[in-house]
Amino acid sequence: YGHGIIPVAQTAIEAGATWLGTALLEEAVQLREAGLNVPGGVIAWLTPPGDDFETALKLNIDLSVSTITQLEEIIRAGEKTSIKPRVHIEVDTGMRRGGLLNTYNDWNDFLEYLQLRKEKVNFVGLWTHFARADEPNLPCTQEQLTNFEQYKSELSAAGIEPKYIHVCNSAGTLTRSTSDHKSIVRLGIGMYGLSPDRGSLGDATDSFGLLPAMTLKAKLVQVKKAPKGSAVGYG
């Protein structure tokens, strides 16, 4: 969130964090090149085909996969570097963004591919992402968890038992029971002491006892009245 990846990571480690997670692989590389080490590991979870997977493996960075194409490239990087990749499988339980979806044979095809290549990879993690955990009264988050357990069961039946299970973003961490926190929680905005959604969850300090570590300020450019019912902005 613009605070500088190195000082934020150092602060997290000093506060007791045992894992560091980044959106992009180049960010994870920055952490490793800065000499930052944590007991659990460093994971990058947006890793499109064409990323520098060889460097990632040399720097001991865990990688997330959600397609066979990604996994094929990571395996080739492992063969070139003689390093067995550490991989977290992302499954789509309802976000409809990244992750393997158990329709249209995507998930079944992936499981079949794993049977052929699983000796080449250390599958250390399984994860998903909540779409509306900041609205705790909705049933969809529990539905996502139920769906996730089905993926986990099918992966186990394929002979793969990941050590690290993670599902909770900031909203999930703050609103779900500790049993849903699994092995790892992925704090984003909550790490800065802010509420994921003030409208549905309330103020971070009042609702969760968090202290904001950042403020957002902007200059006022213009104020104007617009006709009721008129369109605003794109679309």
Side-chain angles (χ1 to χ4, degrees):
Y1 297 101
H3 285 254
I5 189 169
I6 303 305
V8 168
Q10 289 172 330
T11 301
I13 292 170
E14 290 167 6
T18 56
W19 280 79
L20 297 175
T22 68
L24 306 178
L25 178 53
E26 50 260 42
E27 294 170 332
V29 169
Q30 281 183 269
L31 295 179
R32 285 303 198 200
E33 289 182 340
L36 296 182
N37 293 297
V38 281
V42 173
I43 176 176
W45 48 66
L46 292 181
T47 51
D51 264 6
D52 188 356
F53 296 126
E54 291 182 34
T55 295
L57 299 185
K58 291 174 183 177
L59 292 175
N60 192 28
I61 295 170
D62 288 15
L63 299 167
S64 173
V65 298
S66 55
T67 68
I68 291 175
T69 301
Q70 283 173 296
L71 187 55
E72 286 176 334
E73 288 196 15
I74 291 169
I75 288 173
R76 285 197 294 271
E79 291 171 340
K80 288 182 179 179
T81 59
S82 298
I83 299 170
K84 194 171 186 177
R86 284 169 50 96
V87 164
H88 298 240
I89 300 169
E90 181 188 3
V91 292
D92 182 355
T93 58
M95 184 71 171
R96 298 298 180 265
R97 206 159 65 182
L100 286 146
L101 190 60
N102 56 358
T103 55
Y104 309 112
N105 291 322
D106 287 1
W107 175 240
N108 288 335
D109 290 347
F110 187 80
L111 289 178
E112 290 179 9
Y113 183 78
L114 294 188
Q115 296 301 317
L116 300 174
R117 307 289 275 167
K118 63 182 179 181
E119 300 304 320
K120 296 281 188 179
V121 180
N122 185 9
F123 291 102
V124 298
L126 177 68
W127 71 285
T128 194
H129 196 71
F130 289 146
R132 302 181 72 178
D134 54 358
E135 300 173 86
N137 294 325
L138 296 180
C140 54
T141 300
Q142 184 57 49
E143 291 168 2
Q144 281 194 253
L145 282 167
T146 301
N147 196 5
F148 182 77
E149 289 301 322
Q150 181 63 33
Y151 281 105
K152 186 170 175 286
S153 175
E154 292 176 7
L155 193 61
S156 177
I160 296 173
E161 302 277 359
K163 180 178 180 181
Y164 301 107
I165 308 297
H166 43 116
V167 300
C168 282
N169 52 9
S170 288
T173 303
L174 294 170
T175 64
R176 305 294 302 185
S177 68
T178 53
S179 63
D180 292 334
H181 292 177
K182 310 300 182 184
S183 313
I184 304 168
V185 292
R186 301 186 307 272
L187 289 172
I189 194 68
M191 190 169 67
Y192 296 88
L194 301 180
S195 173
D197 190 315
R198 286 176 59 94
S200 59
L201 297 177
D203 178 80
T205 302
D206 294 340
S207 300
F208 305 110
L210 301 179
L211 298 177
M214 63 181 281
T215 57
L216 181 64
K217 298 180 180 180
K219 291 182 178 180
L220 186 61
V221 175
Q222 181 184 8
V223 177
K224 66 181 178 182
K225 293 181 179 180
K228 181 179 179 179
S230 63
V232 177
Y234 290 120

mmCIF file of all heavy atoms in Angstrom, residues 35 65 71 90 98 111 124 225:
data_model
loop_
_atom_site.group_PDB
_atom_site.id
_atom_site.type_symbol
_atom_site.label_atom_id
_atom_site.label_comp_id
_atom_site.label_asym_id
_atom_site.label_seq_id
_atom_site.Cartn_x
_atom_site.Cartn_y
_atom_site.Cartn_z
ATOM 1 N N GLY A 35 17.866 -9.801 1.889
ATOM 2 C CA GLY A 35 18.336 -10.663 2.971
ATOM 3 C C GLY A 35 17.282 -11.006 3.998
ATOM 4 O O GLY A 35 17.611 -11.445 5.107
ATOM 5 N N VAL A 65 0.354 -21.853 -8.055
ATOM 6 C CA VAL A 65 -0.044 -22.287 -9.395
ATOM 7 C C VAL A 65 -1.553 -22.444 -9.460
ATOM 8 O O VAL A 65 -2.192 -22.859 -8.489
ATOM 9 C CB VAL A 65 0.627 -23.614 -9.817
ATOM 10 C CG1 VAL A 65 2.129 -23.466 -9.873
ATOM 11 C CG2 VAL A 65 0.229 -24.752 -8.904
ATOM 12 N N LEU A 71 2.458 -24.646 -14.015
ATOM 13 C CA LEU A 71 3.172 -25.743 -13.369
ATOM 14 C C LEU A 71 4.228 -26.332 -14.298
ATOM 15 O O LEU A 71 5.333 -26.670 -13.851
ATOM 16 C CB LEU A 71 2.182 -26.817 -12.925
ATOM 17 C CG LEU A 71 2.754 -27.962 -12.087
ATOM 18 C CD1 LEU A 71 3.483 -27.429 -10.861
ATOM 19 C CD2 LEU A 71 1.650 -28.924 -11.671
ATOM 20 N N GLU A 90 -3.601 -22.970 -5.921
ATOM 21 C CA GLU A 90 -4.735 -22.085 -5.672
ATOM 22 C C GLU A 90 -5.989 -22.663 -6.317
ATOM 23 O O GLU A 90 -5.992 -23.007 -7.501
ATOM 24 C CB GLU A 90 -4.491 -20.683 -6.236
ATOM 25 C CG GLU A 90 -5.665 -19.745 -5.963
ATOM 26 C CD GLU A 90 -5.560 -18.404 -6.667
ATOM 27 O OE1 GLU A 90 -4.603 -18.202 -7.433
ATOM 28 O OE2 GLU A 90 -6.463 -17.565 -6.455
ATOM 29 N N GLY A 98 -8.376 -15.715 -9.715
ATOM 30 C CA GLY A 98 -7.382 -16.754 -9.927
ATOM 31 C C GLY A 98 -7.866 -18.091 -9.373
ATOM 32 O O GLY A 98 -8.876 -18.178 -8.680
ATOM 33 N N LEU A 111 -5.499 -32.577 -11.778
ATOM 34 C CA LEU A 111 -5.215 -33.723 -10.918
ATOM 35 C C LEU A 111 -4.549 -34.852 -11.709
ATOM 36 O O LEU A 111 -3.632 -35.514 -11.210
ATOM 37 C CB LEU A 111 -6.505 -34.229 -10.268
ATOM 38 C CG LEU A 111 -7.133 -33.335 -9.192
ATOM 39 C CD1 LEU A 111 -8.434 -33.951 -8.683
ATOM 40 C CD2 LEU A 111 -6.164 -33.119 -8.035
ATOM 41 N N VAL A 124 3.527 -27.936 -1.222
ATOM 42 C CA VAL A 124 3.528 -27.600 0.202
ATOM 43 C C VAL A 124 2.253 -26.911 0.662
ATOM 44 O O VAL A 124 1.973 -26.854 1.863
ATOM 45 C CB VAL A 124 4.736 -26.711 0.566
ATOM 46 C CG1 VAL A 124 6.037 -27.443 0.290
ATOM 47 C CG2 VAL A 124 4.691 -25.385 -0.193
ATOM 48 N N LYS A 225 -22.693 20.395 -7.932
ATOM 49 C CA LYS A 225 -23.988 19.749 -7.842
ATOM 50 C C LYS A 225 -24.291 19.092 -9.181
ATOM 51 O O LYS A 225 -24.009 19.647 -10.235
ATOM 52 C CB LYS A 225 -25.070 20.761 -7.498
ATOM 53 C CG LYS A 225 -24.943 21.365 -6.093
ATOM 54 C CD LYS A 225 -26.070 22.331 -5.816
ATOM 55 C CE LYS A 225 -25.962 22.905 -4.401
ATOM 56 N NZ LYS A 225 -27.072 23.870 -4.114
#
